Amino acid sequence: MKILLVNPEFPDTYWSFRHALPFEGKRCAFPPLGLLTVSSLLPKSWDRRLVDLNVERLKTSDLDWADMVFATAMLVQKESLRDVVRLAKARGKKVVLGGPYVTSTVEELPDADHIFRGEAEQTLPQFVDDLARGETKHIYQAAERPALATTPIADFGLANLKRYSAMSVQYSRGCPFSCEFCDIIEIYGRVPRTKSNQQMIAEFDALKALGWRGTVFIVDDNFIGNKKNVRLLLPELARWQKENGYPFELLTESSINLADDEPLLANMRDAGFHRVFLGIETPVEESLHEAQKSQNRGNLLEQVQTIQRYGIEVMAGFIVGFDNDPEDIFERQIDFIRRSAIPLAMVGLLNALPDTQLWKRLDREGRLFGEASGNNTVCTFNFKTRMDPALLIRGYQTIMRTIYGPREYYQRVLDSLRRTTQSHSHTKPGYTVVGGLTALTKILVRLGVIDRERKEFWRFFVTALIRHRAQFADSLRLAAVGYHFRKLSDAYGNSAP
Ligand code: B12
Ligand code: SF4
């Protein structure tokens, strides 16, 4: 059996990092871990190829080679997914779909032969058996959420690692909290399931054996969802990193109550965590209450600072469009982002994802328009907002233009570098003199010569060089990412509501 695994294309969103990737000679930020895991769940004797449309084209020869086409998708990839299904069907191929979009959408799905809803650890082996008996079903619905002990090591070798700027591994699925807008808890559950320490070490070994050096994203919904297990894992990861010369810089997602556990933060620093993405959402108490985000009720600014003190850069998600947002929400978000020194602030407009508590409430209230695009940074809503939508969109655009204005952004980066000076005890993994010099030259040419904001860049460059020499590589990374955000803010931030 020949299986073609296809990851549809992402639109040009903040998360795509598309305008920053060329500086480091990469095509895409992360590989499609879901498909790499699916590949590992298939019989060893089957042939497989991966085509990630974010790094390469889908060739007719690939489709002709395959017996079946397996595709995944998030909501935001649905248009590209439809194209993939159409092309595969036109070549007479059987199409199998799975992933979060397929699992949670309320829209009609593309015309596929087999649909996998939920996690595939149990349903995929069942499908393989059914296929052998000639008795396959159209829909495979996971009866329960599988223990992650059954998740094999992802087939990392299937991806062309050189094309990606980071690798992904997963430690846990699910989150114990109950945020109203969140679909994680609907798709992956409220009881976080974790892998064993041995599984994690084996995945790290596998990536290292493939030659990977650099950033590894632990793609958990909430890395500290199961704190008891995380406390046991971290010393093992720290030991592995030390024994292997710190080949990986770790990045993950967490709830902000991470700041309440300083021993855990110290363990994360020792294990090589350099960045963490937090769901801060809003500094407005009433909106947090509405979103059922009880874990965010402490002093958010102090909590961010606590995490930064451990040498961990804080990235965070922010949302505008809650029913309780006051009129000055936009200034308050800007002020918070400025004072928290969070360079990468992902600000989005509230949208209701299918099956969430928010979706159900808005439906009850008769305010729902239909399924969202999945890209919360384009200026659309899928429900009737309390605030005038034109006002909301204008305010949102003001936030984006302000926080990614070069002076404001570079200042946040410098503030963040100052707060995260506690050094990690190793040099940057994956760094080569040639790679470093090439990236530096591209950045200097693009941001220091061609870009109209070059004066601000040089001011930043010189300050970073003088005051933050030890973190100079990070300064350049952040300058490149800031350019990506500014490009998108220019595009979205000026489009008409
Ligand atoms: C890592 C991650 C990212 C990464 C990279 C994603 C990538 N390259 O694949 C980045 C940071 C780029 C990202 C971005 C976004 N993401 Co994201 N992301 C995740 C995260 C945290 C982990 C994904 C992952 O690797 N999981 C591990 C694998 C093993 O799990 P899995 O994909 O579910 O696969 C299993 C099953 O679903 C199934 N399966 C999957 N595919 C297939 C295919 C077939 C054929 C079969 C049979 C089975 C199958 O088998 C697997 C094993 O059980 C998930 C949350 C989550 N827990 O999954 C959110 C998640 C997928 N992201 C989400 C969203 C909304 C986004 C953004 C739109 C956010 C934004 N507002 O901008 C952007 C859009 C992307 C873009 N570039 O523009 C949503 C999707 C919601 C939806 N219903 O579609 C999720 C669920 C989280 C959330 N609620 O916010 N994301
Ligand atoms: S903390 Fe994050 S993952 Fe957990 S329920 Fe809230 S939004 Fe979802």
Side-chain angles (χ1 to χ4, degrees):
M1 191 66 83
K2 296 192 184 87
I3 306 296
L4 185 69
L5 298 135
V6 183
N7 188 29
E9 199 178 349
F10 290 115
D12 198 5
T13 65
Y14 291 105
W15 271 112
S16 71
F17 296 108
R18 198 160 287 166
H19 303 279
L21 293 165
F23 291 119
E24 44 168 343
K26 305 291 180 185
R27 293 270 181 88
C28 185
F30 309 99
L33 187 61
L35 280 184
L36 299 181
T37 307
V38 164
S39 171
S40 288
L41 286 164
L42 297 174
K44 294 275 166 286
S45 58
W46 290 14
D47 288 332
R48 61 269 266 164
R49 279 187 196 168
L50 172 74
V51 174
D52 180 351
L53 296 186
N54 301 288
V55 303
E56 65 204 300
R57 274 184 327 108
L58 178 57
K59 297 196 285 290
T60 315
S61 56
D62 282 327
L63 285 171
D64 288 343
W65 167 87
D67 296 316
M68 281 199 253
V69 174
F70 278 45
T72 188
M74 297 186 203
L75 193 53
V76 74
Q77 293 165 289
K78 67 182 170 187
E79 297 309 326
S80 175
L81 177 74
R82 280 182 205 287
D83 292 342
V84 170
V85 174
R86 202 173 24 78
L87 287 171
K89 282 279 161 196
R91 313 296 299 181
K93 303 298 161 180
K94 288 238 179 290
V95 173
V96 181
L97 302 182
Y101 168 61
V102 171
T103 298
S104 63
T105 185
V106 291
E107 289 177 348
E108 202 181 318
L109 281 171
D111 176 27
D113 298 276
H114 307 288
I115 306 271
F116 282 73
R117 292 193 201 271
E119 297 161 58
E121 276 77 356
Q122 279 153 13
T123 44
L124 207 49
Q126 197 187 321
F127 169 70
V128 173
D129 285 351
D130 291 353
L131 202 62
R133 283 186 286 114
E135 288 175 13
T136 50
K137 293 185 282 193
H138 178 50
I139 305 265
Y140 284 84
Q141 172 74 53
E144 56 190 38
R145 298 193 174 101
L148 297 199
T150 59
T151 306
I153 298 182
D155 204 350
F156 296 116
L158 201 60
N160 182 351
L161 306 198
K162 289 202 187 84
R163 301 265 174 96
Y164 297 93
S165 76
M167 281 297 121
S168 307
V169 298
Q170 188 175 43
Y171 174 57
S172 69
R173 291 184 196 156
C175 175
F177 294 112
S178 190
C179 306
E180 194 194 30
F181 55 80
C182 179
D183 64 339
I184 285 292
I185 43 183
E186 315 302 335
I187 304 178
Y188 300 99
R190 290 198 55 222
V191 181
R193 292 157 289 146
T194 68
K195 290 182 181 161
S196 66
N197 294 356
Q198 292 86 327
Q199 278 177 290
M200 285 302 279
I201 296 295
E203 299 204 24
F204 274 34
D205 281 337
L207 278 177
K208 181 168 175 266
L210 285 166
W212 182 255
R213 301 291 179 276
T215 304
V216 172
F217 182 10
I218 300 191
V219 298
D220 295 13
D221 308 313
N222 182 357
F223 180 65
I224 62 162
N226 184 332
K227 267 198 186 180
K228 189 168 142 265
N229 287 1
V230 170
R231 281 199 190 96
L232 299 173
L233 171 72
L234 287 170
E236 294 275 324
L237 290 188
R239 190 181 47 75
W240 186 91
Q241 288 266 51
K242 193 164 177 220
E243 280 171 12
N244 290 280
Y246 295 95
F248 303 152
E249 247 187 47
L250 305 180
L251 147 75
T252 195
E253 304 187 343
S254 165
S255 45
I256 196 164
N257 56 324
L258 169 64
D260 305 339
D261 195 333
E262 297 209 29
L264 192 75
L265 277 168
N267 284 343
M268 282 179 71
R269 176 202 54 210
D270 297 344
F273 281 83
H274 286 239
R275 281 176 276 160
V276 64
F277 183 92
L278 307 174
I280 291 180
E281 328 304 2
T282 177
V284 177
E285 280 270 346
E286 296 74 16
S287 300
L288 286 171
H289 184 71
E290 166 192 333
Q292 296 170 194
K293 202 128 192 158
S294 53
Q295 69 276 26
N296 281 27
R297 305 268 177 73
N299 184 328
L300 298 173
L301 282 171
E302 273 177 21
Q303 286 170 311
V304 170
Q305 216 159 345
T306 304
I307 297 172
Q308 290 165 329
R309 267 208 312 277
Y310 284 84
I312 299 174
E313 178 194 318
V314 172
M315 304 154 67
F318 295 88
I319 298 177
V320 289
F322 291 112
D323 286 354
N324 283 284
D325 277 357
E327 282 200 354
D328 65 352
I329 179 65
F330 314 108
E331 292 82 48
R332 286 174 70 176
Q333 290 280 24
I334 292 170
D335 181 61
F336 183 92
I337 292 165
R338 191 178 285 150
R339 289 168 59 203
S340 59
I342 293 175
L344 303 186
M346 304 287 195
V347 189
L349 290 164
L350 184 66
N351 265 295
L353 291 170
D355 222 24
T356 54
Q357 301 171 75
L358 176 65
W359 174 278
K360 288 174 194 152
R361 172 167 70 85
L362 293 170
D363 195 22
R364 278 198 308 274
E365 293 173 1
R367 295 165 63 193
L368 205 55
F369 300 149
E371 195 157 286
S373 70
N375 180 353
N376 62 357
T377 50
V378 290
C379 297
T380 54
F381 297 100
N382 69 335
F383 68 97
K384 190 170 171 6
T385 54
R386 278 276 146 78
M387 195 186 284
D388 172 7
L391 206 69
L392 253 174
I393 290 171
R394 268 203 307 279
Y396 169 69
Q397 291 176 327
T398 305
I399 298 181
M400 295 310 289
R401 274 198 311 270
T402 310
I403 66 172
Y404 289 109
R407 178 165 293 214
E408 179 96 18
Y409 175 73
Y410 287 135
Q411 187 55 52
R412 275 205 317 283
V413 175
L414 291 171
D415 292 345
S416 169
L417 291 172
R418 187 166 37 76
R419 290 188 192 181
T420 53
T421 43
Q422 179 173 42
S423 65
H424 292 264
S425 52
H426 51 272
T427 49
K428 232 177 167 42
Y431 179 83
T432 60
V433 176
V434 177
L437 282 178
T438 313
L440 176 65
T441 312
K442 285 186 190 164
I443 288 173
L444 292 183
V445 171
R446 166 64 56 193
L447 298 180
V449 180
I450 302 173
D451 190 40
R452 65 175 193 279
E453 303 289 355
R454 51 192 171 265
K455 239 169 73 187
E456 294 298 336
F457 170 76
W458 284 114
R459 199 197 313 260
F460 163 74
F461 185 85
V462 172
T463 316
L465 199 58
I466 297 170
R467 298 209 198 125
H468 305 289
R469 189 168 298 208
Q471 297 152 287
F472 194 59
D474 274 326
S475 325
L476 290 181
R477 171 182 58 80
L478 286 165
V481 178
Y483 176 72
H484 164 75
F485 277 75
R486 178 151 53 86
K487 278 284 194 205
L488 282 187
S489 304
D490 286 350
Y492 292 145
N494 295 315
S495 57

